[in-house]
Structures are given as structure tokens and as C-alpha cells.
Amino acid sequence: MANSTLGLENQLYNYLLSISLREPDILQQLREETAKHPMGMMQIAPEQGQFMQMLVQLMGARKTLEVGVFTGYSSLCVALALPLNGQIVACDVSEEYTAIARRYWEAAGVANKIALHLRPAINTLDKLIAEGQAGTFDFAFIDADKENYEVYFERSLQLVRNGGLIVIDNVLWSGRVADPQVQDQSTLAIRTFNDKLRNDPRVTLSVVPIADGLTLALKRRWATMMEPEQN
Ligand code: CA
């Protein structure tokens, strides 16, 4: 995985950040603290967080879902971009990592927007569906165990409204997905997921090569004339 945009030389990457990144101090502190963590590479890139804030604001999102919180950088980005009455349902299994997230949500004054569910995300997503919350979310971000991406995507597709957006992280997986020699479980899972989504007529699709690769899947409101050709 990569926590800066793949394929850019350092000089150009630093230039990109210098002309665009508007990272508040609280996000910078969280990013720097997470970078020292042994699993710090799991953190999203700052330009990606800012891009997701753009998406959330473009959509006028109020209710969002996050599958995979880690230390909370992405949820904090989204929470800061949401209106005052915005809400995030956040799913994770790690008390340890999310303790860092909670500390920063509090410090940033957005903790009241975020409901953290500490149990396997599938259980939380199924519970939301059982409670009648299908079709009520504007936006979902999936960034958790890659073997379950397909399951998370299917549940999220039920939970977002028509015209809602699902954003999936790490779809370029540091380039390993494109290397047929690489056959580990996570790589295979992402490759299979990417292949299926390519031909999924339920969504409008774009794969954006920012950070470690970000798929945007928009739940279609109506049949369009942009059907994927089967390949
Ligand atoms: Ca990720």
C-alpha cells in the first residue's frame, strides 16, 4: 500500500502538495503521530483526504459510512467537511487504533458527528440494513481488509441512496494488482473486485490514480446510455 500518490517523482509530488494541500493543524498532527505507528503505512495520503472532502462537499453529503477507521485520518477529513448536523457511521474492530482516532475527533470538536461501531463491519452493515437504513447514506468509504471488499461494497450499495457515492481505497495496491506474478490473498481479492466492478451496470465508475488508487462508484439513479461493454 502507499500513503502518497503513486508514480510521481518526489519533486513533483512535493510540488503538488505545496500548491494544493490545505491540511489543518489537527490533521497534520494526526498524520505525523500515525506515521510513527508500526502500521502507519495504512494511513491515507493527505491529498486523498482533501479530495474526499471535495467529494463530500460536491454531493452535499450529510450521512456517511466508513468501513475501516484505523487512526481516524479519513473520518476526521470527512467529519470536517460535513455540515454541523452531519453524521458518520464508522466501522472498525481495533480498540487500540480507534483510541487514537477518538482522541483526535474530540480535539477537533467533531466527535459528536461520528458513531463508532467496534465489531466486524459486516455485522454493523447488516444491522443498519435490518434497521431500515438502506438507501439513506450519501457517501461511503471502504478501506478495510481487502478479502472482504466485495462484501463491503455490496452492503454499501444497499445503504447508499440512488446518486450516492462509494469510494474504495487501495485499488492500485502499489502496482501489485498489475503484476501477474503477485498472487497473495489481498492482491487477488483486489484484482477480482476491480474486474467485477469494471462490468457492474449498477454504478457509474471511475478509478482515480490518487494515492494508492481510489475507485469512485456512483449508484445510478436511472438507466444511462453509458453501459459497460462486457470484456
Ligand atoms: Ca487504505
Side-chain angles (χ1 to χ4, degrees):
M1 69 196 76
N3 57 7
S4 61
T5 289
L6 294 172
L8 290 185
E9 303 276 349
N10 274 347
Q11 190 177 29
L12 185 54
Y13 180 63
N14 289 332
Y15 178 74
L16 166 80
L17 296 184
S18 76
I19 57 158
S20 63
L21 194 64
R22 297 178 173 185
E23 188 180 44
D25 289 345
I26 188 79
L27 278 171
Q28 187 182 347
Q29 286 161 21
L30 171 55
R31 186 160 60 84
E32 287 172 359
E33 178 172 342
T34 304
K36 293 179 199 143
H37 191 280
M39 301 296 283
M41 280 298 287
M42 280 172 43
Q43 177 163 248
I44 68 164
E47 68 276 21
Q48 173 185 351
Q50 190 168 313
F51 179 62
M52 287 167 53
Q53 290 182 315
M54 172 72 85
L55 296 175
V56 163
Q57 294 203 317
L58 270 173
M59 302 187 71
R62 288 184 185 277
K63 187 176 176 187
T64 77
L65 186 63
E66 177 161 291
V67 180
V69 172
F70 188 43
T71 59
Y73 190 90
S74 50
S75 49
L76 183 50
C77 285
V78 170
L80 291 169
L82 288 175
L84 288 175
N85 63 351
Q87 25 167 332
I88 302 177
V89 175
C91 308
D92 206 282
V93 290
S94 171
E95 180 84 52
E96 181 196 342
Y97 299 156
T98 57
I100 301 170
R102 283 180 200 264
R103 181 153 48 80
Y104 280 89
W105 296 340
E106 288 287 343
V110 298
N112 62 331
K113 293 181 179 176
I114 306 171
L116 175 64
H117 297 258
L118 275 180
R119 65 176 76 88
I122 293 169
N123 298 359
T124 299
L125 301 178
D126 281 343
K127 184 162 179 284
L128 294 170
I129 293 166
E131 287 170 356
Q133 297 199 47
T136 67
F137 287 81
D138 302 300
F139 176 92
F141 179 51
I142 299 176
D143 185 13
D145 50 311
K146 310 312 171 198
E147 288 83 351
N148 280 315
Y149 261 25
E150 200 175 332
V151 178
Y152 299 145
F153 176 75
E154 287 300 326
R155 301 297 198 283
S156 298
L157 195 60
Q158 288 186 60
L159 286 163
V160 300
R161 61 172 167 84
N162 292 336
L165 183 69
I166 304 173
V167 176
I168 304 112
D169 197 32
N170 301 110
V171 298
L172 297 180
W173 204 226
S174 298
R176 293 198 292 277
V177 278
D179 179 352
Q181 305 289 326
V182 183
Q183 294 288 335
D184 64 273
Q185 289 303 311
S186 295
T187 304
L188 287 174
I190 296 173
R191 208 178 271 147
T192 304
F193 175 77
N194 286 342
D195 286 346
K196 283 197 176 167
L197 216 55
R198 161 66 178 77
N199 292 324
D200 191 330
R202 299 172 296 174
V203 295
T204 294
L205 180 69
S206 183
V207 176
V208 182
I210 190 171
D212 200 27
L214 204 58
T215 287
L216 310 186
L218 184 78
K219 184 172 173 179
R220 288 181 167 174
R221 297 167 200 267
W222 45 72
T224 73
M225 296 178 72
M226 305 187 297
E227 295 309 312
E229 283 178 35
Q230 300 298 313
N231 63 357

